[in-house]
């Protein structure tokens, strides 16, 4: 595995580059990818962002959105781009399983693979990497990437707005413990280089549909379950409920954080019934390792305080299983 700075000679003349990111991309996945995209455009490369699936409507305002190739909607075009790429940049994930079918196509490609990521336990499919599990976001690492290649002065409004979005969303709007003084310095620089912070905040957080707000109301009044003895809160949504509230990609994002916002709650879990499995989001406060529950019992993983997993049992059985394992973590939950 080589450091990414060894890429300098390779990137010194125009290359065909694909930037890809994880399934159902979030703000950091799109922000880091589009930030790097605009940087490579400036450097004269032939560059495309290829996502495995669609992503939330509140990210569609981002610069370069119209040029993104979505694999699940344009399989041939996406496959061709991956096959003909000289370099593939893999952002905000570190295991090819996280990009499903696109992962096999990336694995088969002869392109040089570069990983920029902040998740634990990289699989090792890459030849070059910029990896730091302590970074708040992949967007922060893309800033570091551009800086270490000596191009921080090239950061324009498009790059700054994209990276700002990634940092803002993955740091919980600058409040998680990963929000260091240095991160604030990076953010200050991005604002000076054109990121309109207040407008970006509005575009991402204040553009709910009425259905989405009513869905939240339903979650709080009808679905929130608090288990005080284990300092845990649960919210779940069935297929029928998703249909009733016309849920689209992105509508369920962040619901788990409301469960965690309760005083005395240390662990929050959100269960949602997808086409063929139950997808689970875990969030925790402080020392409690959300990723351990995800890894041990729900074929998942993630960060210490934000993790996810899945189950092929019914929604009800999955929730029961979760409740049954809580006593095992009782000491940690009541510390
Ligand atoms: P979210 O709850 O927002 O979907 O995911 C939170 C974090 O958990 C993600 O940043 C990712 O690191 C991790 N994560 C979510 N789902 C999975 C999964 O199925 N497998 C693994 N390994 N990590 C996941
Ligand atoms: Mn991220």
């Amino acid at each position: 595995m080589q450091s990414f700075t060894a890429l300098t000679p390779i990137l010194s003349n125009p290359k065909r580059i694909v930037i890809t990111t994880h399934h159902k991309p979030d703000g950091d996945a799109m922000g880091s990818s589009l930030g790097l995209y605009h940087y490579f455009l400036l450097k004269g490369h032939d560059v495309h962002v290829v996502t495995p699936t669609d992503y939330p409507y509140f990210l569609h305002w981002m610069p370069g959105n119209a040029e993104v190739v979505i694999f699940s909607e344009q399989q041939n075009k996406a496959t061709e781009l991956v096959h003909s790429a000289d370099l593939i940049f893999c952002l905000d994930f570190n295991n090819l399983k996280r990009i499903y079918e696109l992962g096999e196509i990336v694995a088969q490609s002869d392109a040089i693979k570069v990983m920029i990521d902040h998740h634990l336990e990289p699989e090792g499919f890459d030849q070059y990497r910029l990896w730091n599990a302590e970074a708040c976001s992949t967007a922060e690492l893309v800033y570091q990437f551009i800086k270490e290649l000596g191009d921080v002065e090239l950061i324009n409004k498009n790059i700054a707005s994209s990276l700002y979005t990634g940092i803002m969303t993955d740091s919980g709007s600058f409040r998680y413990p990963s929000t260091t003084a240095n991160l604030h310095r990076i953010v200050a620089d991005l604002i000076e280089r054109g990121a309109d912070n207040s407008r970006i905040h509005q575009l991402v957080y204040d553009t709910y549909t009425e259905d989405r707000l009513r869905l939240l109301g339903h979650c709080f009044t009808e679905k929130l379950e608090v288990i005080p003895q284990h300092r845990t809160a649960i919210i779940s949504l069935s297929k029928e409920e998703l249909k009733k509230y016309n849920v689209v990609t992105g509508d369920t994002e962040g619901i788990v954080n409301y469960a965690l916002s309760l005083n005395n709650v240390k662990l929050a879990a959100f269960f949602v019934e997808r086409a063929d499995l139950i997808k689970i989001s875990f969030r925790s406060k402080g020392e409690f390792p959300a990723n351990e529950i995800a890894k041990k019992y729900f074929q998942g993983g993630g960060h210490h305080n934000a993790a996810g997993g899945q189950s092929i049992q019914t929604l009800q059985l999955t929730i029961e299983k979760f409740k049954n394992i809580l006593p095992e973590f009782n000491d940690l939950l009541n510390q």
Side-chain angles (χ1 to χ4, degrees):
M1 207 68 54
Q2 296 201 51
S3 155
F4 68 97
T5 43
L7 284 171
T8 309
I10 299 171
L11 290 170
S12 64
N13 50 54
K15 288 287 185 297
R16 281 168 303 194
I17 298 176
V18 162
I19 299 169
T20 190
T21 187
H22 59 77
H23 181 81
K24 292 285 172 192
D26 58 8
D28 186 34
M30 293 314 298
S32 57
S33 296
L34 287 169
L36 191 62
Y37 167 79
H38 287 291
Y39 168 67
F40 283 145
L41 275 185
L42 278 182
K43 299 289 281 184
H45 298 290
D46 173 17
V47 55
H48 298 269
V49 174
V50 176
T51 61
T53 64
D54 67 344
Y55 44 91
Y57 59 87
F58 52 81
L59 300 175
H60 289 180
W61 61 271
M62 295 183 72
N65 174 67
E67 276 69 56
V68 173
V69 178
I70 301 173
F71 173 76
S72 58
E73 293 169 12
Q74 291 181 271
Q75 288 211 9
N76 291 343
K77 185 169 182 193
T79 305
E80 208 176 293
L81 286 170
V82 171
H83 278 319
S84 60
D86 301 312
L87 291 114
I88 301 175
F89 280 74
C90 297
L91 267 56
D92 204 36
F93 70 97
N94 64 28
N95 187 314
L96 289 177
K97 281 199 205 105
R98 292 275 290 149
I99 59 169
Y100 298 75
E101 300 102 279
L102 186 57
E104 287 159 36
I105 300 166
V106 169
Q108 282 160 16
S109 153
D110 294 329
I112 295 170
K113 282 146 209 148
V114 187
M115 182 189 89
I116 304 182
D117 179 57
H118 68 135
H119 294 94
L120 297 166
E121 299 172 12
E123 176 193 5
F125 61 80
D126 49 313
Q127 283 101 57
Y128 297 86
R129 66 171 59 165
L130 173 52
W131 178 71
N132 180 357
E134 275 162 28
C136 103
S137 57
T138 299
E140 178 188 357
L141 295 174
V142 169
Y143 179 92
Q144 187 188 336
F145 179 86
I146 295 172
K147 191 172 179 186
E148 291 192 26
L149 292 180
D151 283 333
V152 82
E153 294 304 321
L154 288 184
I155 294 180
N156 58 16
K157 189 179 175 78
N158 285 345
I159 300 173
S161 305
S162 305
L163 298 184
Y164 183 91
T165 304
I167 293 172
M168 177 186 81
T169 52
D170 252 26
S171 65
S173 294
F174 319 106
R175 66 196 175 93
Y176 296 153
S178 53
T179 310
T180 58
N182 191 47
L183 185 77
H184 278 292
R185 280 183 205 106
I186 292 173
V187 169
D189 192 40
L190 294 176
I191 293 172
E192 279 174 355
R193 292 180 192 282
D196 186 344
N197 51 321
S198 175
R199 180 175 165 267
I200 292 173
H201 208 277
Q202 250 183 48
L203 288 167
V204 173
Y205 293 118
D206 299 339
T207 49
Y208 277 36
T209 57
E210 185 178 335
D211 275 328
R212 189 177 180 202
L213 197 58
R214 292 197 186 282
L215 172 76
L216 278 181
H218 173 70
C219 286
F220 302 160
T221 53
E222 309 296 328
K223 304 305 304 282
L224 175 70
E225 195 177 343
V226 184
I227 309 169
Q229 70 271 31
H230 297 309
R231 300 177 72 173
T232 296
I234 297 174
I235 296 176
S236 65
L237 286 172
S238 67
K239 269 185 202 160
E240 291 70 36
E241 289 167 310
L242 299 182
K243 197 158 168 232
K244 182 174 172 200
Y245 289 94
N246 303 310
V247 167
V248 295
T249 299
D251 279 349
T252 58
E253 214 169 289
I255 291 180
V256 65
N257 297 314
Y258 288 102
L260 191 70
S261 70
L262 282 166
N263 188 22
N264 283 326
V265 161
K266 269 203 163 173
L267 173 65
F270 173 65
F271 300 81
V272 59
E273 191 176 13
R274 298 283 179 214
D276 44 8
L277 51 77
I278 310 299
K279 185 78 192 116
I280 316 162
S281 289
F282 298 104
R283 297 289 185 276
S284 66
K285 286 180 193 150
E287 298 298 306
F288 190 84
N291 52 357
E292 261 181 42
I293 288 198
K295 201 169 157 183
K296 190 164 174 193
Y297 292 104
F298 298 102
Q299 292 98 48
H303 311 282
H304 184 84
N305 293 126
Q310 52 233 303
S311 155
I312 50 166
Q313 289 182 301
T314 63
L315 183 57
Q316 209 184 341
L317 284 175
T318 306
I319 296 171
E320 267 174 43
K321 175 179 168 182
F322 174 70
K323 287 180 181 169
N324 287 335
I325 60 175
L326 289 175
E328 180 190 329
F329 295 92
N330 200 37
D331 287 351
L332 272 173
L333 287 166
N334 282 293
Q335 250 175 24

